[in-house]
Amino acid sequence: MRKKINYGRQHIDKSDINFVIKSLNKKLITTGTYVSLFEKKISNKFKCNYAYACSNGTAGLHLAYLAINLKKNDIVLMPSVNFISSYSMAKNLGAKIFLVDVDPITGQMTTEKILECVRVNKIKKIKAIVSMYLGGYIENNIILYKLKKIYNCYLIEDACHAIGAKYKEKNNVYSIGSCKHSDICVFSFHPVKTITTGEGGAVTTNSKLLSNRIKIFRDHGIIRNKKSYWKYDIKQTSFNYRLSDINCALGVSQLNKLNQFIKKRKKIFYEYKRKLEFLKRYVRINNYENKTNGFHLIILNINFNNLKCKKDDVFKYLNKYNIFPQYHYIPLYKFSFHKKVFFNKFKGSEEYYKNSISLPVYYDLKKNDLSHVIKIIKRFIQINRLQST
Ligand SMILES: Cc1ncc(COP(=O)(O)O)c(C=O)c1O
């Protein structure tokens, strides 16, 4: 029986285990040297001034909001096709959230969609735009930066999918996380992400002011007296969002392998693309021009107009062969907590949601497992294609 092929999973090797063992033998297993080493490695690799490890990506987004002093009724814009974290953390602070429709192929916000959201909702003052690079593909980040300037608001990058991704601007290449075109960037190190610390996240910025706030809010809001270590003040209560040295040691070791991980993901991306190209009438993978993406997800767009089946049928068929793809994501306005919306406001999101699934992609995905996934997709199309097409 073939083993379960999930859409993602971690890769842990001997060096990871050795790093963790070393961390366990240190005097401090939290707030120690591996935390600062991990943070230093992040800031060096992505070329930002400040990096802070935190307990997970959700905490990282919360810290970003606390750093910009997001308050009740402040307006935040974010894509409707999204993970819940950026929404729930802003909601907890009482912000007014406006979901922006997305491009039906990339699942990401565009300038037009943001302008439309601002116009339709008669938005006057935006506190923050929270971008999200779905699947690790860097779309429109420079344009969003221009909008940030126009609206005079913060731009927070939810880059939980996009570690290791790079982008070009005027012949210069920058890393996501450099914050050259944003205020704050947030990563997640959950096991399905490109690198993992078990649970974990990181926040990067170039602003001294924001960085001070992130640091303080990560640690209960405690401000230590520089001269007398036993004295401290708390001006605003906060949370414990620290990440331990044990997790950070794993992070150091994983970060050493980031390029190798992305190389493999990219290879898998091109293998799917090449092998499914001739079926483009039925399925296609977006032709991401920018080859320096993060390749976190491989999103298959399915043209159901040419097939006699629905999205659930794809899942059921693949599951039968022990393949477990995923949705990324159910648009946030579809959940019970959200008040009802007119779906015609979200045409792009509806189309994206109807047509897109995430295929298995991870470092340890074996060649024969990848061939198996491709074979089953081809067979599914063979069975379900409309005769007339
Ligand atoms: C886009 C996005 N944002 C935020 C998060 C939250 O990260 P974490 O699970 O580390 O809290 C995730 C994690 O799945 C994510 O995919």
Side-chain angles (χ1 to χ4, degrees):
M1 174 90 170
R2 190 177 282 277
K3 65 179 182 320
K4 232 171 140 175
I5 307 174
N6 278 329
Y7 87 89
R9 55 160 299 172
Q10 74 278 10
H11 168 83
I12 299 291
D13 63 19
K14 257 228 151 75
S15 102
D16 296 317
I17 293 165
N18 287 339
F19 264 93
V20 171
I21 291 171
K22 273 194 228 154
S23 79
L24 286 167
N25 286 316
K26 289 271 181 186
K27 210 161 87 187
L28 292 178
I29 57 168
T30 192
T31 63
T33 48
Y34 275 110
V35 177
S36 31
L37 178 61
F38 187 40
E39 293 176 343
K40 199 163 181 42
K41 275 182 96 71
I42 293 173
S43 56
N44 283 347
K45 187 155 181 76
F46 307 128
K47 299 197 169 42
C48 59
N49 291 346
Y50 308 96
Y52 294 102
C54 58
S55 47
N56 51 59
T58 309
L61 287 160
H62 198 181
L63 287 171
Y65 294 151
L66 291 168
I68 65 165
N69 196 22
L70 188 71
K71 292 189 306 297
K72 193 163 186 270
N73 292 329
D74 280 346
I75 289 180
V76 175
L77 268 56
M78 63 180 67
S80 54
V81 170
N82 212 336
F83 189 60
I84 188 63
S85 300
S86 49
Y87 188 101
S88 55
M89 292 299 102
K91 195 81 188 158
N92 281 339
L93 291 167
K96 264 189 168 166
I97 303 162
F98 288 89
L99 296 177
V100 178
D101 194 21
V102 297
D103 177 273
I105 302 295
T106 66
Q108 297 190 39
M109 298 187 293
T110 60
T111 322
E112 294 71 31
K113 300 283 187 190
I114 290 180
L115 295 179
E116 191 189 356
C117 175
V118 170
R119 183 174 47 79
V120 170
N121 295 295
K122 301 188 175 64
I123 294 170
K124 293 274 180 320
K125 178 84 190 105
I126 301 170
K127 177 82 176 202
I129 297 174
V130 187
S131 60
M132 202 274 271
Y133 306 119
L134 187 67
Y137 303 99
I138 311 307
E139 295 283 305
N140 303 321
N141 68 326
I142 302 295
I143 294 170
L144 292 182
Y145 184 66
K146 284 183 185 151
L147 284 179
K148 164 207 147 57
K149 296 269 182 197
I150 293 169
Y151 292 130
N152 191 22
C153 67
Y154 289 102
L155 176 58
I156 297 171
E157 296 169 285
D158 176 347
C160 287
H161 292 182
I163 193 156
K166 293 182 178 166
Y167 62 94
K168 244 186 169 176
E169 202 254 352
K170 292 186 188 149
N171 292 328
N172 292 316
V173 177
Y174 300 102
S175 293
I176 290 294
S178 67
C179 295
K180 276 281 179 293
H181 298 93
S182 73
D183 296 291
I184 301 180
C185 179
V186 178
F187 295 120
S188 162
F189 307 128
H190 179 274
V192 294
K193 300 296 190 284
T194 305
I195 67 164
T196 189
T197 56
E199 293 279 357
V203 188
T204 65
T205 185
N206 291 323
S207 153
K208 191 167 171 40
L209 183 77
L210 294 176
S211 86
N212 276 337
R213 291 175 64 86
I214 292 164
K215 195 171 162 193
I216 290 165
F217 287 127
R218 179 179 63 169
D219 195 9
H220 305 279
I222 290 174
I223 306 165
R224 295 219 173 259
N225 185 311
K226 287 203 176 92
K227 288 194 190 118
S228 318
Y229 69 88
W230 62 96
K231 290 182 187 162
Y232 61 84
D233 188 20
I234 298 170
K235 288 189 177 139
Q236 190 179 330
T237 57
S238 185
F239 303 84
N240 174 1
Y241 281 156
R242 296 185 306 258
L243 189 64
S244 81
D245 281 65
I246 308 165
N247 301 92
C248 288
L250 179 55
V252 168
S253 165
Q254 289 266 306
L255 199 56
N256 288 341
K257 296 186 280 264
L258 177 62
N259 297 352
Q260 175 191 337
F261 286 166
I262 292 181
K263 205 168 152 196
K264 176 72 185 281
R265 287 175 174 272
K266 192 168 164 180
K267 207 170 148 195
I268 296 171
F269 173 91
Y270 282 107
E271 183 71 2
Y272 275 125
K273 211 163 158 45
R274 217 175 14 253
K275 295 277 169 62
L276 296 173
E277 191 70 36
F278 79 103
L279 290 169
K280 59 176 179 277
R281 200 179 249 278
Y282 311 99
V283 289
R284 61 184 286 277
I285 291 165
N286 196 21
N287 196 15
Y288 287 106
E289 293 301 324
N290 180 354
K291 297 194 173 53
T292 56
N293 281 305
F295 299 95
H296 170 58
L297 300 176
I298 291 171
I299 298 166
L300 189 71
N301 295 126
I302 307 173
N303 185 349
F304 286 103
N305 294 331
N306 292 337
L307 292 168
K308 52 181 180 200
C309 61
K310 297 190 301 290
K311 190 161 155 177
D312 282 356
D313 301 322
V314 186
F315 275 82
K316 283 180 196 154
Y317 190 83
L318 267 61
N319 289 174
K320 250 187 6 198
Y321 293 92
N322 253 347
I323 303 162
F324 292 83
Q326 195 46 281
Y327 276 154
H328 292 101
Y329 289 100
I330 300 172
L332 294 176
Y333 56 78
K334 286 192 177 289
F335 290 113
S336 311
F337 72 79
H338 201 279
K339 72 173 194 295
K340 292 281 161 281
V341 295
F342 295 113
F343 289 158
N344 63 359
K345 257 174 65 179
F346 292 103
K347 279 200 178 118
S349 312
E350 286 292 300
E351 197 180 326
Y352 172 84
Y353 171 61
K354 200 175 89 196
N355 298 339
S356 304
I357 67 166
S358 292
L359 297 177
V361 54
Y362 48 92
Y363 187 76
D364 287 333
L365 184 64
K366 299 277 175 292
K367 221 174 159 184
N368 63 340
D369 285 339
L370 178 57
S371 305
H372 170 69
V373 178
I374 292 169
K375 184 177 82 190
I376 298 303
I377 294 171
K378 283 183 186 166
R379 195 184 293 164
F380 177 79
I381 291 162
Q382 189 72 27
I383 299 168
N384 285 284
R385 64 181 174 190
L386 288 171
Q387 292 313 314
S388 55
T389 61

